[in-house]
Amino acid sequence: MKNLAVYCGSSMGTDPAFAALAREFGEEMARRGIALVYGGGHRGLMGVVADAVLGAGGKAYGVIPQALVDAEVAHTGLTELHTVSNMHERKAKMTELCDAFVALPGGIGTFDELFEAWTWNALGYHAKPFALLNVSNFWDGLVDFLDHTTRSGFMSRARRDQLIVADRIGDALDRLAEAAGRREASMVW
């Protein structure tokens, strides 16, 4: 796995563990030689993870809509910044650039990006794995809901099992790298 798309909040959240995780995650990515692909902002956890990757000597590729560049939220110190027209193009470009996806704590943008990546995977548009990094039990409610969705018959066990859930950075990165190595594009019902 060379490039990892990281979805996370454009704010810091209320728990200091979120920023600490983003910093440690970025440092570990750089240590492993994994480049960051992310939304291109300098604010919140997005900025923390990008600064950590860059500060540890890694590469960070941002993908940001022009409207956010105009609002002056773009990170200006990245390895490369791709400016796109809209959020649809952003997600497509991030998918093109990465080998896998991980979601750190975040809000609706993080949810949107994660679920679109998962949907595209389920439909066979790509075979890239994805994970939740569950710091401070942030994702527990979502994981419970996804399990409820599976039990209720709206998601197959095979599709539910695609989502990697990890509590530790090393575990998330190891499991994503393993899954990326055995990926095969096909629909997962």
Side-chain angles (χ1 to χ4, degrees):
M1 178 173 62
K2 294 182 179 183
N3 298 330
L4 178 62
V6 176
Y7 303 138
C8 59
S10 59
S11 66
M12 298 297 274
T14 58
D15 187 337
F18 300 152
L21 171 83
R23 190 174 305 102
E24 292 170 24
F25 193 78
E27 290 168 353
E28 183 63 14
M29 286 178 63
R31 189 184 74 70
R32 292 182 183 217
I34 301 169
L36 170 68
V37 176
Y38 84 116
H42 68 81
R43 294 183 176 171
L45 298 184
M46 292 173 66
V48 172
V49 74
D51 288 342
V53 166
L54 294 166
K59 294 180 180 178
Y61 302 99
V63 184
I64 192 166
Q66 182 64 52
L68 293 177
V69 173
D70 295 344
E72 299 181 353
V73 299
H75 194 302
T76 58
L78 301 176
T79 307
E80 196 170 307
L81 183 66
H82 300 268
T83 304
V84 295
S85 298
N86 55 55
M87 292 300 286
H88 298 292
E89 289 180 20
R90 176 195 217 175
K91 291 181 282 187
K93 184 67 172 178
M94 288 177 70
T95 299
E96 174 189 324
L97 293 173
C98 78
D99 301 308
F101 310 87
V102 65
L104 280 56
I108 61 171
T110 303
F111 307 154
D112 172 60
E113 291 168 329
L114 171 69
F115 280 105
E116 187 154 327
W118 193 355
T119 300
W120 289 4
N121 178 288
L123 294 173
Y125 296 155
H126 70 76
K128 300 172 184 185
F130 36 91
L132 299 175
L133 188 48
N134 196 22
V135 63
S136 297
N137 302 312
F138 180 81
W139 294 110
D140 284 358
L142 177 63
V143 171
D144 289 345
F145 179 72
L146 295 171
D147 290 340
H148 169 74
T149 303
T150 301
R151 287 189 306 272
S152 297
F154 291 101
M155 183 185 306
S156 70
R157 174 52 46 196
R159 183 172 295 158
R160 169 58 188 89
D161 289 346
Q162 288 180 310
L163 180 64
I164 296 166
V165 180
D167 296 328
R168 294 182 343 270
I169 292 169
D171 186 38
L173 291 172
D174 291 345
R175 291 171 68 192
L176 282 168
E178 180 185 328
R182 66 173 192 269
R183 66 187 189 193
E184 182 179 314
S186 66
M187 288 190 189
V188 177
W189 296 104

